[in-house]
Amino acid sequence: MAPRCSWMWRLPRCPLLGRNLSTTRRLGAGRSLSSKSPTPQICVVGSGPAGFYTAQHLLKHHSEAIVDIYEKLPVPFGLVRFGVAPDHPEVKNVINTFTQTARSERCNFLGNVTVGRDVTVEELQRAYHAIVLSYGAEDKKELGIPGEKLPGVYSARDFVGWYNGLPDNRYLSPDLSSETAVILGQGNVALDIARMLLSPLELLEKTDVAQPALEALSQSRVKKVWLVGRRGPLQVAFTIKELREMINLPGTRPIYDPSDFQGLGDILKDLPRPRKRLTELLVKSALEEPGEKEAVRRAQCTREWGLRFFRSPIAVLPSEDGKRASGVRLSVTRLEGSGESAVSVPTGETEDMPCGLIFSSIGYRSVPISPGVPFLPRQGIIPNSMGRVLGAPAGLYCSGWVKRGPTGVITTTMTDSFDTAQSLLEDLKSGALNLSNSRPGASAIRELLLLRGVDPVSFSDWEKIDAVETAQGLKVGKPREKILNTEEMLQLVSR
């Protein structure tokens, strides 16, 4: 390889010699030399939906900006790849749009780069005019109760990562030998887990579920799944689409306590439309007698799932030998207030629920990325106003879950990310962002990474990985067979 030249923070003095021969042209290195206004150099940290939607909006609405996307894994797309359930391929179609963004002449993907370890935020600030932090919520919330570390207790985040092929979770090896599983939480992720545990194997075999997970699920003895929530039917966090899928899951029937739904029909008219439709479906499923065809179907089912309301976990119960979980102790709760703002309070009663498999699905959590970036640990977000980071110099922004918390669906993230990108564009137009000096962008960061022994993965490198995964999947009738080891990914792109 030809020697790389040194760089200064002001101007890129030499062509970039990297793996992708078109990179020099894509970076626009030199356009700023002949222009009165230097080319805006922008970087986005995180290649999930928030990162790609932010980049998409910036590239669409600014004809000169260069946008570089940094990702700690060698592969892009974040939760679209590692969070969306394997049996929801239609949700993953957004990858096609993200791919078009990444192939733009003014966009660069730099995978296998961990911001905060391989390169600091402060170094990025010296190389770019603006930085958008879109690194999501990569940690999990703890239950904070006795026994939660016992074998048989798993976080929803780890389990989802395991069946979706996230390299960090490939060794999870959950014990699925219990007939009853309890999921603590009543959101979409909780329903995803329940559906994965109860789905007929022939449905999962056609998805991109990780092969070790498929093999383990084929041996699973789980026949009943309870989803436990501390509040009531009017506060469940899942969506109507997910609920309808669960109600109609082949080979599985729902079980309800009709008393949980008494009187809800009287208040339906006063509910906001999305909550009204969801509650109508819950009430209909719980209180109305199923039709003859559905009744026959349910009678033939060998698996079941149910919703348990007004219960909050206070301890995981150990087995007699103390070596694993054998159940969960629940505090019976009641509500104070109404609607979305209702708060659960303990009544003093408790209830034990026997089970050998427990999932904590109480949410994800963002973590600080740098001591120099303001962070609110209690809320788990970066303080911001319309995406502009508060308490930080101009030029620092955030989008996605690290901006608003781990809530909403992909379309929520799209709107949120467009808002952040628009704030950045407004600051470019108003002069709030200083463009008086050129910034070297990715060329400077690549030099730093080279000195530190870090070899970034380009988007064309990812496409090599994608081609191998797709070819391997085709052999077994799956959309792809995910590579679970980052070292194997890097070996593919170094050939």
Side-chain angles (χ1 to χ4, degrees), residues 137-177:
E138 60 188 61
D139 204 359
K140 59 216 173 198
K141 291 182 179 179
E142 301 286 342
L143 288 168
I145 60 175
E148 71 173 302
K149 301 299 183 184
L150 283 169
V153 183
Y154 305 93
S155 79
R157 184 189 183 281
D158 290 348
F159 190 71
V160 169
W162 171 71
Y163 66 63
N164 270 321
L166 182 64
D168 286 350
N169 300 128
R170 67 184 186 276
Y171 298 125
L172 186 67
S173 189
D175 183 351
L176 306 179
S177 61

Side-chain angles (χ1 to χ4, degrees), residues 9-12 32-33 35-41 125-130 428 433-441:
W9 283 121
R10 294 177 185 157
L11 292 173
S32 58
L33 296 176
S35 171
K36 293 181 181 179
S37 178
T39 300
Q41 297 281 350
Q125 287 176 306
R126 292 194 289 272
Y128 291 92
H129 294 105
L428 283 172
L433 271 179
N434 183 10
L435 291 183
S436 59
N437 294 320
S438 273
R439 300 290 174 92

Side-chain angles (χ1 to χ4, degrees), residues 95-390:
I95 285 176
N96 298 328
T97 302
F98 295 163
T99 295
Q100 294 307 308
T101 297
R103 287 175 176 169
S104 165
E105 291 294 307
R106 294 184 290 118
C107 184
N108 291 281
F109 173 77
L110 294 93
N112 193 41
V113 178
T114 300
V115 175
R117 184 192 69 189
D118 300 329
V119 61
T120 67
V121 172
E122 291 71 25
E123 287 166 337
L124 292 175
Q125 287 176 306
R126 292 194 289 272
Y128 291 92
H129 294 105
I131 298 171
V132 184
L133 300 172
S134 306
Y135 60 88
E138 60 188 61
D139 204 359
K140 59 216 173 198
K141 291 182 179 179
E142 301 286 342
L143 288 168
I145 60 175
E148 71 173 302
K149 301 299 183 184
L150 283 169
V153 183
Y154 305 93
S155 79
R157 184 189 183 281
D158 290 348
F159 190 71
V160 169
W162 171 71
Y163 66 63
N164 270 321
L166 182 64
D168 286 350
N169 300 128
R170 67 184 186 276
Y171 298 125
L172 186 67
S173 189
D175 183 351
L176 306 179
S177 61
S178 173
E179 290 195 0
T180 301
V182 168
I183 303 173
L184 302 171
Q186 292 181 337
N188 279 345
V189 173
L191 280 186
D192 282 347
I193 292 173
R195 206 173 58 254
M196 290 297 294
L197 289 170
L198 298 174
S199 285
L201 198 64
E202 57 268 24
L203 295 183
L204 297 180
E205 287 173 337
K206 301 172 184 176
T207 73
D208 66 355
V209 61
Q211 188 60 28
L214 185 62
E215 292 170 2
L217 289 167
S218 72
Q219 302 298 316
S220 171
R221 296 180 58 193
V222 175
K223 296 187 182 306
K224 179 184 290 188
V225 177
W226 287 105
L227 294 95
V228 177
R230 70 184 189 278
R231 298 192 293 172
L234 292 177
Q235 290 82 32
V236 293
F238 48 72
T239 57
I240 190 169
K241 175 182 178 294
E242 301 275 347
L243 175 62
R244 188 177 290 113
E245 273 187 298
M246 202 68 213
I247 291 172
N248 297 319
L249 187 65
T252 306
R253 61 174 170 264
I255 48 177
Y256 304 100
D257 181 348
S259 65
D260 288 333
F261 302 90
Q262 297 294 340
L264 291 185
D266 300 334
I267 61 174
L268 282 174
K269 66 180 186 303
D270 299 321
L271 297 175
R273 188 171 183 272
R275 176 65 66 179
K276 177 182 177 181
R277 293 177 61 238
L278 175 61
T279 307
E280 283 176 339
L281 180 56
L282 274 171
V283 171
K284 179 179 180 180
S285 180
L287 299 182
E288 292 186 13
E289 287 294 326
E292 183 179 347
K293 184 177 178 180
E294 175 64 9
V296 170
R297 186 195 76 83
R298 293 188 185 184
Q300 295 173 341
C301 292
T302 58
R303 299 180 176 186
E304 56 190 4
W305 66 279
L307 298 166
R308 198 78 173 114
F309 297 110
F310 308 112
R311 301 291 187 274
S312 180
I314 54 177
V316 173
L317 304 175
S319 58
E320 288 187 8
D321 60 10
K323 292 184 178 180
R324 60 170 294 106
S326 68
V328 59
R329 179 158 294 160
L330 304 169
S331 169
V332 180
T333 64
R334 60 179 176 82
L335 294 186
E336 288 186 353
S338 60
E340 305 291 342
S341 61
V343 177
S344 67
V345 295
T347 63
E349 298 178 52
T350 62
E351 176 184 287
D352 290 350
M353 183 174 282
C355 61
L357 182 60
I358 301 168
F359 296 96
S360 169
S361 186
I362 58 173
Y364 294 9
R365 171 172 89 85
S366 296
V367 296
I369 194 170
S370 165
V373 177
F375 189 79
L376 303 176
R378 185 170 181 179
Q379 295 95 322
I381 60 171
I382 293 173
N384 70 92
S385 174
M386 291 298 290
R388 300 177 179 91
V389 177
L390 300 175

Side-chain angles (χ1 to χ4, degrees), residues 57-58 61-62 420-430:
H57 195 82
L58 291 170
H61 295 281
H62 196 293
T420 290
Q422 192 59 39
S423 293
L424 196 161
L425 292 170
E426 289 171 3
D427 291 348
L428 283 172
K429 186 175 181 180
S430 69

